[in-house]
Amino acid sequence: MSRARLAVMASTLALLAACGQGDTKSDMPPLPASATAPVTYERDIHSWAQPQIARVRHVDLDLTADFATKTLSGTATLDVTGEPGATQVILDIKNLEIRSVADDKGNALQFAFGAEDPIKGQALTVTVPAFEPGKGQKIVVTYSTRPDAAALQWLTPAQTAGGQQPFLFSQGQAILTRTWVPTQDSPGIRQTYSAKITVPEALKAVMSAEMLTPDGERAADGMHAYRFRMTNPVPPYLIALAVGDLSFASVGEGVGVWTEPSRLEAARNEFSEMRQLVDAAEALYGPYRWGRYDLLILPPSFPFGGMENPRLTFATPTVVAGDKSLVSLVAHELAHSWSGNLVTNATWADIWLNEGTTTYFENRIMEAVYGRDRAMMLQVLGWNDLQASLAEMAPLDTRLHVDLDGRDPDDGLNDIPYEKGAAFLRTIERIVGRERFDAWLKGYFERNAFRPMTAGGFLIDIRANLVRDDSALERELQLDNWVYQPGLPSNAQAPVSTALTAVDTAADAFFADKGPASAIPWSGWSTQERQHFLAWRPEGAAATRPWLTGAQLADLEASLNLRAEGNAEVLFQWLQIAVAHRYQPAVPTLERFLTSQGRRKFVLPLYTSLWGQGDWGRPIATRVYATARPGYHPVTTGSVDDVVGVPSPVAG
C-alpha cells in the first residue's frame, strides 16, 4: 500500500471518527493502485477550481432537511491538499447562502465571492495558511441551500405515490452539485465523502454511499439522522441524496430496490433479474467495485431515465412497465459503474467517454442476459435515433469531442455521445474481433480505475494496448476521424436486426400502402418492435408534414388501443405522430402524459413538437405547461422554458 493511500485512509478514518462513525469497516474492496497515481488535471471550462494549486480530497456533510423552508442547512467540511506555499482554495458554488468559513478549530477564514456566471455560478475563494509539504487542511463551510436550488426537487405529499409524506431528491449531473454542496464541482476532481443527514422522523434518507445507520438515530426536535460514507473517490456530480417514505426489497445477493411502499411490489417484480445483470457485467469487464448495487425508483418528476449514482441508481418510474421490457435502462446505469463512475470524463467536452462506452456496454449486458435478437433490436433503435440527430444538428456538434465553450454542458447530452460513441466502439470490435476488443476494454477499465479520462488519453490507451503500431489497423480504425470529425466515418456500418424485418413489412403495409391497422400483429410484438413500427416516417422532406389521414389515425389509435397504452416509450412514439398530424382526439392522452411524469427525454420533444405546430399546438403547450411545470425538476424546466417560455402566475 502506497504512502499516498495510507494518508488518504488516515484522513478519511479520522474524519469518520470525528463524525461518530466508529465502525470503519467497509463493504467495498480496497482501491487499486491506479486510484492513487498522480493525476494531471485538465482545464475544465465549467469550473472555477484550480486543482493544480489546491484540491478537495474529501467532503463531510452535516445537513438538516427542512421541508417547510425547502432548504438543506449545516456544514460541509472539506479536506484539502495544496501545493507548498499556496494560500487560496477555489470552490464552485451557485445559489448558496454562505454563512461562514472556518478551519476545523473554529478560526474564521477569509473568503470572497467571484462574479456570477449564469452557467457556472460563482467562485468561492477561501484564503488559508500557506500549505506545507505533505500536509492538508480542513475548511468548514456553514451554509444553506435556497428553495430554488437547481439540483434539488422538493415534492409535496400530493406529488408522491403515497400522498402522505413529502419527498426530496438531488440530481447533480452535470454541474448542479454546486447548488447544494460547496466543493470543486468538476468531474476530473474526484473526492471521497461522508455525511450525516437529519430528516423528519417519518422519513428515511438514502445516498449514493454506504449506509452506516440503516435504522437511523434519534436527533433533536423529533428528527432522525442517517450516516453514510463513500470511500471510493467519485466525481462530485455523483454525490446524491433522496429523502422520503421509502421501503426496501432485496432481489438477490447484494442487489435490491428502494421506492415508496405502494410501489415496492411492482418494482421488486420488474427488476427481479438485477443480479443476473450484475453477474453478466462482471463476466464481461471485471469486478464490480462499489459493494452493493441498489435501485431507487423515484417519483415521476425525476428528469432522466436513470442516474448512475454509485451503489444506488436513481430511476424514473416510467421504466416500471410491468413486463421487464425496459430493463435496458438498468443495464445502462449498471454499466456506468465501470464507464463513468470508475473511468470518468475529465471534462464535459468528452461526455462520450461516459455515455458512448456505457451504451456499448449496456448492449453487451442485454445480449448476455436476454439474447442477441433483443440486443440487435436495441442497436437498430439507437442507430435510427443517431441518424435523426445527424440530420438535424449542426455538423460541429456531431463530433464526439465537442466544443462547449460558453455553453451549458447539458447541451452536449444528445444522441451523439451515446449512439455515435457506441457505434465507434462497435466498429472497433468488428474490425479487431470481439475477443481482442474485450481484452482491451477490460484492461482499459483496470488501468484507469478511479481516474479522469480525456479523448486524447483514450486514444493513447487504445493505440498503446490494442493498435500497437499496426499502421494498417490504424488506418482501418480511423480513430481520429471518429473522435474529432463531424458525422460518421466511412467505416461505420448500420446494425441489422432480422427480428425487425417483419416490422418493417407491417409498417410499409400500413403507413405507405394504407392497409388496415387490424392487420398489424401488435399483440405479438415486443416493446422494441412496437417502438420501431411507430418510428416509421416517410423519406425526405415529407417526414416533416402529415403523412396519415384522420381515418388512419383513428384506426391506428383504436386498433392498437393507444389511449390505454401504459408503456412510456411506446406512448411517446404515438404522441409524436399525433402531434405531427394535429390529431385532436389524442390531446387528452397527451395532456395526461405530460402532467404525470417529467422525464426530459419525453417532455422536451413533445413540447418542441407542439410549439412547431403553431396556432394549433402552441395554445396546448402553453396551457399544459402552466399546469405541469411546478411538478417538473429544474433540469426539465430549464430546457422547456427555452421552448415554451415561463408561464405567467395564475391570478387567484
Side-chain angles (χ1 to χ4, degrees):
M1 185 178 291
S2 70
R3 290 182 180 178
R5 172 64 176 142
L6 284 170
V8 170
M9 282 193 67
S11 173
T12 301
L13 297 184
L15 209 75
L16 294 173
C19 294
Q21 298 171 7
D23 180 7
T24 56
K25 294 181 180 179
S26 174
D27 64 358
M28 291 187 287
L31 295 175
S34 60
T36 56
V39 173
T40 300
Y41 292 99
E42 295 293 315
R43 176 176 176 264
D44 183 355
I45 61 174
H46 293 108
S47 172
W48 302 105
Q50 296 184 17
Q52 73 280 8
I53 298 173
R55 55 209 161 270
V56 175
R57 297 293 196 186
H58 181 85
V59 178
D60 179 50
L61 300 172
D62 187 347
L63 299 174
T64 297
D66 187 331
F67 282 85
T69 61
K70 297 183 178 180
T71 59
L72 293 171
S73 62
T75 60
T77 301
L78 311 178
D79 276 17
V80 185
T81 59
E83 296 305 300
T87 60
Q88 288 188 333
V89 180
I90 302 177
L91 308 175
D92 294 303
I93 64 169
K94 188 174 183 180
N95 206 25
L96 286 179
E97 297 283 357
I98 305 298
R99 295 185 177 135
S100 67
V101 182
D103 64 18
D104 58 331
K105 297 178 177 62
N107 300 310
L109 298 174
Q110 291 186 336
F111 62 95
F113 300 105
E116 289 195 36
D117 180 275
I119 296 174
K120 293 164 56 176
Q122 293 175 282
L124 176 61
T125 301
V126 181
T127 300
V128 298
F131 282 96
E132 299 178 22
K135 292 185 177 180
Q137 300 187 39
K138 294 184 190 296
I139 296 173
V140 182
V141 183
T142 302
Y143 72 102
S144 68
T145 63
R146 294 176 181 169
D148 58 347
L152 305 177
Q153 184 157 31
W154 301 84
L155 301 176
T156 66
Q159 293 173 300
T160 67
Q164 300 298 314
Q165 299 293 342
F167 203 103
L168 164 68
F169 67 87
S170 70
Q171 172 55 41
Q173 195 181 37
I175 57 171
L176 298 182
T177 294
R178 66 193 67 182
T179 70
W180 77 284
V181 180
T183 188
Q184 293 176 323
D185 190 14
S186 170
I189 309 175
R190 301 183 74 104
Q191 301 152 35
T192 56
Y193 83 90
S194 52
K196 175 187 174 185
I197 306 296
T198 303
V199 302
E201 188 173 11
L203 305 180
K204 181 180 284 289
V206 293
M207 294 191 78
S208 55
E210 185 177 2
M211 181 182 282
L212 299 176
T213 54
D215 298 323
E217 54 192 46
R218 291 190 180 279
D221 302 322
M223 304 284 275
H224 236 54
Y226 293 86
R227 297 180 186 269
F228 306 88
R229 67 177 168 196
M230 171 53 68
T231 56
N232 289 338
V234 297
Y237 70 86
L238 293 177
I239 301 173
L241 167 69
V243 179
D245 180 13
L246 294 171
S247 295
F248 175 79
S250 173
V251 293
E253 183 181 356
V255 294
V257 291
W258 288 92
T259 191
E260 295 183 70
S262 64
R263 290 179 167 167
L264 187 61
E265 191 59 30
R268 187 211 304 260
N269 293 336
E270 195 79 10
F271 305 111
S272 62
E273 296 166 354
M274 277 171 52
R275 183 69 247 175
Q276 292 174 251
L277 299 178
V278 175
D279 291 343
E282 290 190 306
L284 284 166
Y285 298 126
Y288 176 80
R289 296 182 179 271
W290 303 92
R292 292 193 59 82
Y293 181 72
D294 294 329
L295 188 68
L296 170 64
I297 306 299
L298 287 164
S301 58
F302 185 59
F304 297 124
M307 183 62 212
E308 63 271 18
N309 301 312
R311 298 177 61 95
L312 187 62
T313 283
F314 285 16
T316 170
T318 64
V319 299
V320 184
D323 59 2
K324 305 182 181 181
S325 61
L326 302 180
V327 295
S328 61
L329 180 136
V330 179
H332 183 94
E333 306 310 332
L334 169 64
H336 266 306
S337 301
W338 287 259
S339 48
N341 298 6
L342 199 61
V343 185
T344 310
N345 49 240
T347 71
W348 298 108
D350 285 322
I351 183 63
W352 72 274
L353 289 168
N354 283 19
E355 298 298 353
T357 309
T358 294
T359 301
Y360 170 85
F361 191 173
E362 163 205 337
N363 196 256
R364 292 293 304 277
I365 295 172
M366 294 299 291
E367 179 179 336
V369 177
Y370 298 104
R372 184 163 177 78
D373 279 352
R374 185 159 172 184
M376 291 309 300
M377 284 192 283
L378 290 167
Q379 280 191 36
V380 170
L381 292 175
W383 178 267
N384 291 342
D385 289 341
L386 174 60
Q387 300 311 303
S389 294
L390 290 170
E392 296 168 359
M393 295 176 63
L396 290 180
D397 284 343
T398 66
R399 299 173 297 181
L400 289 179
H401 179 76
V402 65
D403 182 4
L404 293 173
D405 193 13
R407 302 162 68 184
D408 192 301
D410 279 356
D411 290 349
L413 282 174
N414 51 57
D415 285 321
I416 300 302
Y418 288 79
E419 298 299 343
K420 181 179 176 180
F424 178 29
L425 296 191
R426 287 198 298 268
T427 300
I428 300 171
E429 179 207 313
R430 172 173 51 81
I431 290 172
V432 306
R434 176 168 284 190
E435 182 177 356
R436 187 176 169 190
F437 177 80
D438 280 351
W440 168 75
L441 187 55
K442 182 177 181 180
Y444 167 82
F445 292 138
E446 293 171 349
R447 286 185 295 274
N448 301 292
F450 301 105
R451 296 177 62 78
M453 179 57 64
T454 64
F458 174 91
L459 293 175
I460 289 171
D461 190 286
I462 198 170
R463 285 179 168 129
N465 297 288
L466 183 63
V467 179
R468 296 175 179 169
D469 297 322
D470 184 334
S471 57
L473 178 58
E474 174 78 31
R475 288 192 298 273
E476 189 175 5
L477 291 175
Q478 300 187 49
L479 299 173
D480 288 337
N481 285 348
W482 274 98
V483 174
Y484 296 116
Q485 296 301 315
L488 293 175
S490 59
N491 61 358
Q493 290 185 9
V496 176
S497 168
T498 55
L500 294 179
T501 302
V503 179
D504 289 329
T505 300
D508 286 336
F510 178 78
F511 291 112
D513 299 335
K514 315 302 184 188
S518 58
I520 301 167
W522 188 257
S523 62
W525 281 349
S526 66
T527 291
Q528 289 71 37
E529 288 167 307
R530 293 177 179 185
Q531 286 179 265
H532 186 67
F533 174 83
L534 292 173
W536 187 96
R537 297 292 186 271
E539 292 186 8
T544 63
R545 299 194 300 269
W547 60 92
L548 296 173
T549 66
Q552 287 177 298
L553 290 164
D555 186 20
L556 193 66
E557 183 181 47
S559 296
L560 307 187
N561 197 24
L562 293 171
R563 290 186 183 180
E565 178 59 56
N567 186 298
E569 295 282 357
V570 174
L571 184 56
F572 169 71
Q573 293 281 12
W574 159 241
L575 292 174
Q576 283 284 58
I577 293 173
V579 171
H581 290 82
R582 303 188 176 193
Y583 183 58
Q584 193 68 31
V587 170
T589 306
L590 171 68
E591 182 168 356
R592 188 165 57 250
F593 187 62
L594 289 173
T595 56
S596 64
Q597 55 80 38
R599 188 175 174 185
R600 189 173 63 173
K601 171 186 176 180
F602 301 141
V603 167
L604 179 59
L606 286 171
Y607 281 113
T608 302
S609 296
L610 279 169
W611 207 252
Q613 290 298 326
D615 58 357
W616 180 84
R618 293 187 181 188
I620 298 172
T622 301
R623 173 175 56 80
V624 173
Y625 192 44
T627 299
R629 189 180 188 275
Y632 292 159
H633 188 276
V635 165
T636 298
T637 59
S639 298
V640 181
D641 284 352
D642 291 338
V643 177
V644 181
V646 181
S648 300
V650 178

